[in-house]
Amino acid sequence: MWRDSFRLQIFCLLLAILAIVVLVHNFLQLEHLDDATVSGSSWITANNDRQTLSRTTGIARKLYCGYERQRLSKREQAEEESLLAALLWPKPPDDEIPFIQSTDPAHSDFVIVKPGVLFKVGDQLEVLVRMKDFRGKPKQYGGDYLQARIHSPLLKAGAVGRVVDCHNGFYKVFFTLLWPGEVKVSVSLVHPSEAIQVLLRLREERPDRVYFKSSFKSGRFSETTECNVCLPGDLPVCNFTDLYTGEPWFCYKPRKLSCASRISHAKGGYQKGLLTQEESLFFQSDVNIKMPIFPSGPDAVTVKPKAFADSSAMDIAEDPNVSPSGYYYQDQWRPRTRRIHHFNESEDVTKCLQGKVIHLFGDSTIRQWFEYLTAFVPDLVEFNLGSPKNVGPFMAVDLKRNILLRFRCHGPPIRFTTVFSSELRYIANELNGIVGGRNTVIAITIWSHFSTFPVEVYIRRLRNIRRSIIQLLDRSPRTVIVIRTANVQELGPEVSLFNSDWYSYQLDSVMRKMFSGIAVHFVDAWEMSLAHHLPHNLHPNEIIVKNQIDALLSYVCPLQT
């Protein structure tokens, strides 16, 4: 009897110990974010109708994912509110405007104010744009997205204009006349105001319109599931939130495999059927997407040269916020805030980069810099890392001159074909691992792959990157850090819903504000792509990339004055 009781006690004790071990194990598993499986509903509020009221703008914004759970300091909160307020866009008087009453570029026109004035280099040129609808009636409200430039085709010269919305159907465009000769004016309607409201709705309500996927594999078994910053529904998810930056990323949990078996990330695809039939009329090629607005009078002025001394002084302006930031002349970009050196020979490039390590972080638009440099400089030989084509990471070396060039794509969301999970790196974390110094050059761009998400997602990413930049410059102040801005691209009905220039313009505005005031340099890819005479392209032509590289290298090896 005593023996049976003792055995029972021993058995119960072993069961208790086993239960404690299982409990501790499960608790530790939950603590590891990279391998956590949670219910989708506990993290996701994308389909929730709860809203938060912006203290600065007074506008109700839908809560998205876990971004309302961000722990922001008062300073960060104030900055975010200020950034969102600066992005506010004029709205039509009614929520639903019939297509026939929307902006028609064919009926609209522009006039040059005081075309008969004697213009000189350095003068301001004003243009008035009058918008009308498809009935030919004048528009009474603003909110259209316009792009404008001046150009002289024979001189291969061009510069962008500054558009001011008068909120009554009229727009003023201001140009600085920067070269002598005949200067033509071009104005285009990128999107009517009615289309902008659709783009706003999609950004806030359908951030899932681009979806991603990950592959999971263990032995002979493999599964693929959908991934995103947010995932709808109550299905179990794998939580791949970054431990250091807190950047959220989730995948639906595979049925049989563990979250730890993830091997790759890829673009899944684009959602269809996003628009109503009426909304689709606002996005028509050759009708109201990037269509020219024609003049009702002269479209050109003659500009006389200034004295040499005056012209030279004007080119190197002291105001760092000067607009435009530069202009093309003979297909060469001339910034107005500093002197630029044009690296026309490969020897000039290698001489500048000798002994340096160059890190390129971002998307395919900065990968073009890697491709240009390795093609233009014969001794800069790419080292085969076995990386997927167009994805990376990539590395090139010039052993003779001790040059190391690297490219790495930014972390998710990123719409590349296939990226190995081990290569999914966040820029902020990569910067934290760089020692820096006078022989270190870092170039960053990040914008295109964030166009489908609410702006708070982008602000958070830039905040993390900025924090790492400040820390890097604090420990190595002589490090050269360059920010490549966004650029314009060709648009059609489908591309507009995912990568419209209007989305890029808003993100670019946020980027410039968030990186201003710290010791970084800008390559103004936006103006360099908009001012050029070549058609717009997500991946600009080689001559534009060449001018971007000239701007980059001019920061690395500035001209002596």
Side-chain angles (χ1 to χ4, degrees):
M1 184 73 177
W2 179 83
R3 290 180 179 178
D4 292 339
S5 175
F6 179 77
R7 289 174 180 173
L8 182 61
Q9 291 178 4
I10 293 296
F11 180 74
C12 291
L13 179 62
L14 289 175
L15 280 179
I17 293 174
L18 181 61
I20 292 172
V21 169
V22 171
L23 182 63
V24 171
H25 177 267
N26 289 341
F27 179 78
L28 291 174
Q29 285 292 96
L30 286 173
E31 284 190 329
H32 286 80
L33 290 175
D34 282 345
D35 194 21
T37 303
V38 296
S39 169
S41 61
S42 65
W43 288 91
I44 298 154
T45 60
N47 294 332
N48 198 320
D49 289 333
R50 292 184 296 128
Q51 294 186 339
T52 179
L53 188 66
S54 168
R55 289 193 297 248
T56 299
T57 64
I59 291 180
R61 297 180 61 79
K62 287 193 174 182
L63 300 178
Y64 178 68
C65 288
Y67 279 86
E68 76 279 9
R69 298 188 178 94
Q70 288 188 74
R71 294 182 178 179
L72 302 181
S73 66
K74 290 184 178 180
R75 185 175 181 179
E76 290 173 337
Q77 182 66 38
E79 179 189 43
E80 184 166 299
E81 295 285 347
S82 175
L83 290 168
L84 294 175
L87 296 181
L88 290 179
W89 201 264
K91 293 185 175 181
D94 300 315
D95 291 336
E96 295 184 5
I97 302 291
F99 170 71
I100 197 170
Q101 296 179 27
S102 66
T103 307
D104 177 16
H107 277 99
S108 305
D109 60 14
F110 74 83
V111 294
I112 295 176
V113 178
K114 299 179 181 179
V117 170
L118 179 62
F119 291 100
K120 291 184 179 181
V121 171
D123 287 346
Q124 291 287 309
L125 175 67
E126 182 180 344
V127 170
L128 185 66
V129 186
R130 302 177 290 198
M131 309 305 285
K132 298 179 181 179
D133 63 22
F134 282 87
R135 302 169 300 178
K137 293 186 176 182
K139 295 290 292 287
Q140 301 298 320
Y141 55 89
D144 300 302
Y145 178 41
L146 307 179
Q147 291 174 349
R149 71 185 184 103
I150 51 174
H151 55 107
S152 298
L154 294 179
L155 298 175
K156 295 184 179 180
V160 305
R162 180 172 60 90
V163 179
V164 177
D165 189 344
C166 299
H167 305 286
N168 58 3
F170 286 85
Y171 297 80
K172 293 181 179 180
V173 186
F174 297 94
F175 300 98
T176 301
L177 301 171
L178 296 165
W179 61 88
E182 185 183 56
V183 176
K184 294 180 176 291
V185 175
S186 292
V187 181
S188 297
L189 173 72
V190 182
H191 294 299
S193 56
E194 297 77 17
I196 297 296
Q197 298 312 303
V198 177
L199 296 179
L200 270 168
R201 176 183 68 78
L202 291 176
R203 186 170 70 185
E204 298 301 323
E205 299 178 4
R206 294 300 307 271
D208 62 335
R209 61 192 184 278
V210 174
Y211 58 95
F212 305 86
K213 61 184 180 181
S214 271
S215 295
F216 298 78
K217 186 176 182 180
S218 179
R220 295 182 295 107
F221 299 99
S222 63
E223 295 182 62
T224 299
T225 70
E226 185 177 337
C227 306
N228 218 318
V229 174
C230 258
L231 292 172
D234 296 328
L235 295 175
V237 299
C238 294
N239 181 0
F240 295 113
T241 299
D242 184 65
L243 287 169
Y244 300 100
T245 63
E247 293 286 353
W249 192 254
F250 302 92
C251 297
Y252 285 125
K253 187 182 184 302
R255 293 183 179 181
K256 298 181 180 180
L257 300 178
S258 71
C259 297
S261 62
R262 182 177 66 149
I263 60 171
S264 65
H265 162 92
K267 177 185 69 177
Y270 298 89
Q271 300 284 3
K272 306 294 184 181
L274 297 170
L275 306 180
T276 65
Q277 185 174 0
E278 182 72 15
E279 287 175 336
S280 65
L281 298 177
F282 300 136
F283 298 91
Q284 300 183 67
S285 296
D286 300 324
V287 175
N288 50 17
I289 298 178
K290 279 207 174 179
M291 290 299 294
I293 295 174
F294 296 105
S296 60
D299 67 344
V301 296
T302 300
V303 182
K304 299 295 182 181
K306 268 191 175 182
F308 175 81
D310 293 339
S311 177
S312 176
M314 181 211 64
D315 279 352
I316 309 300
E318 294 182 3
D319 183 2
N321 298 313
V322 65
S323 177
S325 66
Y327 62 100
Y328 283 105
Y329 192 81
Q330 297 297 348
D331 250 357
Q332 292 187 335
W333 182 252
R334 297 184 177 185
R336 298 181 64 213
T337 57
R338 61 190 175 87
R339 297 185 182 277
I340 190 171
H341 174 50
H342 297 286
F343 294 78
N344 298 323
E345 303 295 334
S346 62
E347 292 80 4
D348 299 332
V349 177
T350 54
K351 183 179 179 181
C352 174
L353 295 180
Q354 185 165 353
K356 289 180 168 49
V357 178
I358 306 96
H359 300 271
L360 306 178
F361 296 114
D363 55 33
S364 56
T365 61
I366 207 167
R367 187 189 69 219
Q368 286 188 280
W369 290 11
F370 181 93
E371 294 165 347
Y372 175 86
L373 287 170
T374 52
F376 186 66
V377 181
D379 293 333
L380 196 55
V381 180
E382 185 173 355
F383 189 84
N384 186 3
L385 298 175
S387 303
K389 184 180 179 182
N390 296 334
V391 175
F394 300 129
M395 183 175 73
V397 295
D398 181 341
L399 295 176
K400 182 178 179 181
R401 297 171 182 83
N402 195 28
I403 302 171
L404 176 61
L405 175 66
R406 294 178 178 271
F407 163 79
R408 180 176 290 280
C409 66
H410 63 71
I414 189 160
R415 304 175 209 149
F416 281 3
T417 49
T418 301
V419 184
F420 297 129
S421 298
S422 59
E423 299 296 351
L424 284 175
R425 312 279 182 85
Y426 290 94
I427 294 176
N429 293 339
E430 292 297 298
L431 294 175
N432 291 338
I434 296 175
V435 176
R438 63 184 181 88
N439 289 322
T440 300
V441 180
I442 298 170
I444 300 169
T445 196
I446 182 166
W447 54 279
S448 179
H449 300 258
F450 287 79
S451 58
T452 56
F453 295 95
V455 182
E456 292 92 334
V457 178
Y458 187 62
I459 292 174
R460 178 170 189 163
R461 183 63 57 90
L462 293 191
R463 189 186 295 121
N464 282 320
I465 293 173
R466 183 179 62 185
R467 184 183 299 114
S468 294
I469 287 176
I470 292 172
Q471 293 171 351
L472 174 55
L473 290 173
D474 188 50
R475 64 179 180 265
S476 301
R478 298 183 68 182
T479 307
V480 176
I481 301 180
V482 177
I483 306 296
R484 181 205 185 277
T485 73
N487 58 262
V488 298
Q489 62 178 301
E490 182 182 8
L491 295 180
E494 185 174 19
V495 174
S496 296
L497 306 183
F498 304 98
N499 262 62
S500 166
D501 278 358
W502 182 79
Y503 286 139
S504 302
Y505 174 72
Q506 291 228 310
L507 296 183
D508 193 63
S509 299
V510 170
M511 176 195 292
R512 292 171 190 262
K513 287 183 173 68
M514 291 191 68
F515 286 117
S516 65
I518 60 177
V520 299
H521 308 287
F522 287 92
V523 171
D524 200 336
W526 185 268
E527 289 197 13
M528 295 171 82
S529 58
L530 182 55
H532 203 273
H533 59 83
L534 286 173
H536 297 174
N537 196 319
L538 174 62
H539 300 106
N541 184 274
E542 182 177 319
I543 185 62
I544 299 176
V545 176
K546 193 267 184 193
N547 279 286
Q548 294 173 0
I549 293 295
D550 287 346
L552 166 70
L553 297 180
S554 293
Y555 287 125
V556 180
C557 306
L559 286 173
Q560 301 299 319
T561 57

